[in-house]
Amino acid sequence: MNASLDSGHGATASTTPFRRGLPRQTTRLRQRLAELRGPATPPRPLDARALAALAANPGCHRRALLDGAGVDKAALARALGAPATFGQSQFAFVRGNAFEARALADRGAELMRLLCERTGGGAAPPPPEDVRVPELTAAGPEGRAGRTRLALAEAREAARERGAWTLLRHPMLALEVAGSPVFLEPDAVAVRPDGACVVVEIKSFPVLDGAADPAKVGAAARQAAVYALALTDALAESGPDAAVSPTVLLVCPKDFSNLPTAELVDIRKQLAVTRRQLARLTRVEDIAARLPEGCTFDLRLAEDGRTPTRPAAELAEAVESVRAAYAPECLSSCELAFHCRAKAREAGAVTALGRSLRGELGGLSTVEEVLAAALGERGDPTDPAIAALRRAAALREEALTAATGPARGGPPAGDTDHRPEGPPARGVGGGVGSCR
């Protein structure tokens, strides 16, 4: 499931005439993006996982620009001294590739069986020799995307004329993101005899006793929604009757074996959210135009191709010149999350505490502003957020008074017993149970 951003290193229009449906980047923008990542640095390819994470946080100009320019964010984070701590192990990578090869073997016979079981209403799966498996090889991502579009048109025609099944293994799809074309490679796309196209997502996490990890299923659904949007664009020229199924076939190992099992996952909600969020992304060229003169994220790698020679302070200044929208959810999806979290905490930004809390606080964007509003030192008392903060502060004061007495610094004057009257308050001021 690889993807690449068209940053000037793909096939040219002369080698692949198919460019309809994609924006044509200007030479100036291509040069600017190359300068941002470093002229000698090849662009880092995107995948659907990264694109889904980008769509989940459309307000982050930093990620939009770095992904658009093809900057290696993991290497950048290491150079800044805040490396990411997530990723797929080599063992998991090899195991996933082996499982995917098994699911697609023999012209996708096992995959077709699972697809018919889930969508065919009990119909028998087609013999492997009757399944069309077109060759999608071409020069560069643009050529492969054009070949995929032609294969989709041929598959729908074959389905209409003789009810044929078609399986596209690792097709190349194009999707416009922030004004730039992104090339995506799903595991497979199946074209049913009724002409409907089904995205197939193959994952290596297991289905145990008929259930899988909900978080992993949700992540797979968001990735599949990106593929479905790109597939919809690829079918746009096939006519108004071209349909992409709102359900994807999620193929996973059954229990602790390597045998494939599958379930249909409804992605209509993910489709709507991803489409809306991608539309909200600011164009890459608009973000780049606001950067200071000479700004670049080039690591200036040494001759070994791995060691950065550029000072970390310069890199940090370049990174901070682009506005970020950090949230705790970034820790599991963005390589720069630890750097952004440190800067958010340093600035006292309430976004470091979560998006839901940030939304409830309205125009209060820093912890200092929140505390000042709660203590009545600033802010409009009629503002609902400020009124709620002051009410919470009053309740806290009442609880502390009940636990420690009127004097905040110690027991009431003349009281030789430091214990307050009445039963101790649990969980407040160090009372019974506060550490349990």
Side-chain angles (χ1 to χ4, degrees):
M1 293 178 287
N2 298 322
S4 59
L5 184 71
D6 181 12
S7 301
H9 290 263
T12 62
S14 61
T15 58
T16 54
F18 184 83
R19 284 286 303 192
R20 290 177 294 177
L22 294 178
R24 185 180 294 275
Q25 289 181 324
T26 64
T27 302
R28 182 178 179 181
L29 177 58
R30 290 174 183 266
Q31 292 175 346
R32 182 61 177 134
L33 295 181
E35 292 171 357
L36 288 175
R37 68 175 176 269
T41 305
R44 184 75 173 180
L46 280 171
D47 57 19
R49 181 182 290 106
L51 200 54
L54 178 61
N57 192 7
C60 186
H61 290 184
R62 182 175 297 170
R63 176 157 194 168
L65 179 64
L66 294 176
D67 283 345
V71 174
D72 186 347
K73 298 196 299 297
L76 181 59
R78 289 193 297 270
L80 291 170
T85 59
F86 65 91
Q88 191 177 40
S89 68
Q90 187 64 27
F91 172 76
F93 184 76
V94 173
R95 181 184 61 184
N97 284 345
F99 177 71
E100 179 183 322
R102 176 166 187 168
L104 296 176
D106 195 16
R107 303 178 67 84
E110 187 68 13
L111 191 149
M112 286 296 165
R113 179 186 68 80
L114 293 170
L115 186 61
C116 287
E117 286 181 359
R118 300 298 184 269
T119 66
E129 60 272 13
D130 291 345
V131 178
R132 300 178 67 257
V133 185
E135 179 60 50
L136 302 178
T137 303
E142 288 183 326
R144 291 184 59 197
R147 183 67 190 91
T148 297
R149 289 185 182 240
L150 292 176
L152 284 170
E154 294 169 357
R156 297 189 70 252
E157 182 178 357
R160 185 168 50 249
E161 292 180 353
R162 56 182 186 277
W165 285 86
T166 301
L167 177 65
L168 276 64
R169 296 182 295 191
H170 292 285
M172 184 65 74
L173 304 173
L175 182 66
E176 181 182 348
V177 179
S180 298
V182 175
F183 294 97
L184 304 165
E185 184 180 344
D187 295 322
V189 171
V191 182
R192 301 187 311 208
D194 60 359
C197 300
V198 181
V199 174
V200 179
E201 187 75 354
I202 303 175
K203 293 296 185 182
S204 59
F205 60 82
V207 175
L208 303 175
D209 294 330
D213 185 340
K216 294 181 178 179
V217 173
R222 290 189 292 272
Q223 295 173 42
V226 175
Y227 293 136
L229 288 177
L231 183 58
T232 301
D233 285 354
L235 291 171
E237 297 180 1
S238 299
D241 61 331
V244 177
S245 175
T247 58
V248 301
L249 187 72
L250 179 60
V251 182
C252 299
K254 183 178 181 180
D255 297 326
F256 297 101
S257 70
N258 203 33
L259 298 175
T261 187
E263 291 295 338
L264 289 178
V265 179
D266 191 329
I267 60 168
R268 283 176 290 186
K269 178 180 178 181
Q270 289 83 358
L271 275 171
V273 171
T274 303
R275 183 182 290 110
R276 182 175 65 253
Q277 298 292 66
L278 288 178
R280 290 177 55 196
L281 285 173
T282 305
R283 294 176 62 88
V284 171
E285 56 185 329
D286 295 337
I287 302 174
R290 293 193 289 267
L291 293 178
E293 188 68 26
C295 179
T296 177
F297 307 103
D298 188 4
L299 300 180
R300 299 172 190 162
L301 297 178
E303 293 182 359
D304 60 5
R306 296 187 302 272
T307 306
T309 63
R310 190 176 178 191
E314 288 186 13
L315 284 173
E317 183 180 357
V319 169
E320 291 305 309
S321 67
V322 189
R323 181 171 64 84
Y326 170 77
E329 293 85 350
C330 298
L331 294 173
S332 61
S333 60
C334 182
E335 295 86 345
L336 280 176
F338 289 93
H339 171 80
C340 296
R341 182 180 66 173
K343 292 299 181 180
R345 288 177 172 177
E346 182 181 316
V350 296
T351 52
L353 304 177
R355 287 197 182 102
S356 59
L357 181 60
R358 175 68 184 89
E360 292 176 359
L361 292 174
L364 304 174
S365 59
T366 66
V367 174
E368 181 182 359
E369 292 176 352
V370 171
L371 293 177
L375 297 175
E377 297 175 358
R378 67 174 67 173
D380 183 2
T382 62
D383 185 293
I386 295 177
L389 285 170
R390 293 181 180 177
R391 175 59 178 159
L395 291 174
R396 177 180 181 273
E397 188 67 26
E398 291 177 9
L400 290 175
T401 301
T404 63
R408 293 286 302 276
D415 189 354
T416 57
D417 188 353
H418 289 192
R419 293 174 297 175
E421 295 183 1
R426 294 182 177 271
V428 178
V432 176
S434 61
C435 295
R436 298 179 183 173

